[in-house]
């Protein structure tokens, strides 16, 4: 009887892999402050379901012994967020820990290949984006905004065929803007603003499916130079609603945006643009356009 129990125990343990709840307990060790008291109290190793899933652990969704979602937004949590602790969570789809004070790096993130939504915005993460991030082929949303990341965004973003939302706002990223953008297709929302991206915005050199799907593109507050769309002229943006390239060092004239029929917001302020206002901007696009900011340039004419 004893042996049988032991065998069953071992079978259960193997079926669960190195149990997911153990990984969460490892993660818990890094949390030093939990002002709302919701996490540290509820993440209790005695509170487990029969399939090994954590039971009533705050922010955790688990199914068949596998954690599929970690949601810990806006809790004021302070401490180390140990990615190495959770790389064993082989079914994790959602990681959303926005607006806390988690620190650490995101090395080894590429091991969690099941990830679809990753939002670690508004924390104090730092370091580089590791190149193995290209293994996250199921990613739909990546939000790293308002952290202390720096350096080049690695190549390999072309592997992200499902990615639709990329938010890198307010970090220290650098490198040529097109070497990132030209890897992306099928995007809906891209925010690269408030970084140190350089080079010129030549979307004609990128993937045509980017141009036909993008709705929100914010590259303001960077170090972009040259003329906008110098290579091919203004692309046929089918769905573009918001375009913000303000606070760069763009030169040349204001592009007519004659093919951007959905454009609602256009901000090009605080650059070195010159010449006069293209008539087509106010004729063809004016149906939708509700905000136009061209301030602090060197424009002339009526
Ligand atoms: C967090 O990491 C730092 C540096 O690695 C270490 O000094 C500190 O003790 C860690 N804190 C916890 C709660 O693990
Ligand atoms: C993951 O997050 C997305 C977007 O917030 C949501 O639609 C989806 O239901 C979440 N899935 C799980 C398993 O929590
Ligand atoms: C990313 O996070 C920030 C702050 O938490 C939020 O304002 C922004 O809308 C998010 N971006 C996307 C694409 O969801
Ligand atoms: C894309 O993913 C494959 C499979 O995971 C990997 O072998 C390859 O190195 C990735 N591509 C890049 C450019 O990283
Ligand atoms: C453009 O992006 C789409 C969608 O992500 C992808 O399927 C296609 O292979 C990309 N084309 C090129 C030339 O990279
Ligand atoms: C673009 O991002 C900046 C911050 O980086 C923000 O202030 C601005 O409102 C954004 N533009 C639009 C049109 O959303």
């Amino acid at each position: 009887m004893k042996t049988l129990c032991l065998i069953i125990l071992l079978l259960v343990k193997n079926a669960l892999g190195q149990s997911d709840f153990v990984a969460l307990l490892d993660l818990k060790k890094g949390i030093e402050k939990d002002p709302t008291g919701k996490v540290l109290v509820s993440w209790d190793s005695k509170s487990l379901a029969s399939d090994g899933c954590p039971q009533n652990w705050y922010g955790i969704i688990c199914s068949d012994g596998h954690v599929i979602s970690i949601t810990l937004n806006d809790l004021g949590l302070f401490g180390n967020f140990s990615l190495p602790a959770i790389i064993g969570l082989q079914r994790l789809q959602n990681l959303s820990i926005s607006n806390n004070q988690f620190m650490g790096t995101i090395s080894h993130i590429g091991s969690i290949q099941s990830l679809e939504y990753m939002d670690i915005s508004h924390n104090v993460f730092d370091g580089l984006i590791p190149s193995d991030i290209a293994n996250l082929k199921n990613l739909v949303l990546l939000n790293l905004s308002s952290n202390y990341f720096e350096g080049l965004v690695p190549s390999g973003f072309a592997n992200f065929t499902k990615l639709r939302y990329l938010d890198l706002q307010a970090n220290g990223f650098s490198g040529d803007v097109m070497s990132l953008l030209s890897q992306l297709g099928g995007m809906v929302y891209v925010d690269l603003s408030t970084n140190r991206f350089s080079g010129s915005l030549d979307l004609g050199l990128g993937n045509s499916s980017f141009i036909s799907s993008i709705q929100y593109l914010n590259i303001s507050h960077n170090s972009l130079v040259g003329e906008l769309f110098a290579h091919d002229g203004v692309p046929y943006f089918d769905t573009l609603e918001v375009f913000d390239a303000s606070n760069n060092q763009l030169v040349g004239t204001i592009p007519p945006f004659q093919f951007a029929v959905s454009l609602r917001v256009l901000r090009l302020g605080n650059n070195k643009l010159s010449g006069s206002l293209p008539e087509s901007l106010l004729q063809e696009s004016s149906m939708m356009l509700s905000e136009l900011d061209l301030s602090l340039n060197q424009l002339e004419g009526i």
Side-chain angles (χ1 to χ4, degrees), residues 113-154:
Q113 299 199 4
S114 50
L115 264 189
E116 294 173 16
Y117 297 88
M118 175 169 169
D119 181 356
I120 63 170
S121 61
H122 265 283
N123 280 287
V124 281
F125 287 99
D126 62 5
L128 305 173
I129 301 188
S131 55
D132 79 343
I133 199 170
N135 293 329
L136 301 181
K137 289 196 278 299
N138 293 306
L139 264 193
V140 174
L141 177 145
L142 179 62
N143 194 344
L144 306 180
S145 67
S146 301
N147 279 287
Y148 295 86
F149 292 111
E150 59 184 3
L152 301 177
V153 178

Side-chain angles (χ1 to χ4, degrees), residues 176-178 181 197-203 217-230 243-255 257 266-275 293-299:
D176 184 82
V177 70
M178 282 314 298
L181 288 182
F197 286 107
S198 55
S200 56
L201 193 71
D202 228 341
L203 290 176
L217 180 58
N218 193 342
I219 47 160
S220 68
H221 299 270
N222 279 287
S223 306
L224 302 192
V225 295
E227 295 179 33
L228 276 173
F229 318 122
F243 182 84
D244 190 344
S246 58
N247 295 281
N248 283 287
Q249 285 137 47
L250 302 172
V251 297
T253 54
I254 296 187
F257 283 94
L266 176 60
R267 293 190 193 162
L268 297 172
N270 204 10
N271 280 289
K272 295 171 181 158
L273 298 168
S274 55
D293 185 349
L294 306 172
S295 60
L296 301 172
N297 280 291
Q298 291 145 24
L299 303 178

Side-chain angles (χ1 to χ4, degrees), residues 169 193-194 216 218 220 242 244 265 267:
Q169 187 195 132
S193 65
T194 315
Y216 180 99
N218 193 342
S220 68
V242 177
D244 190 344
V265 176
R267 293 190 193 162

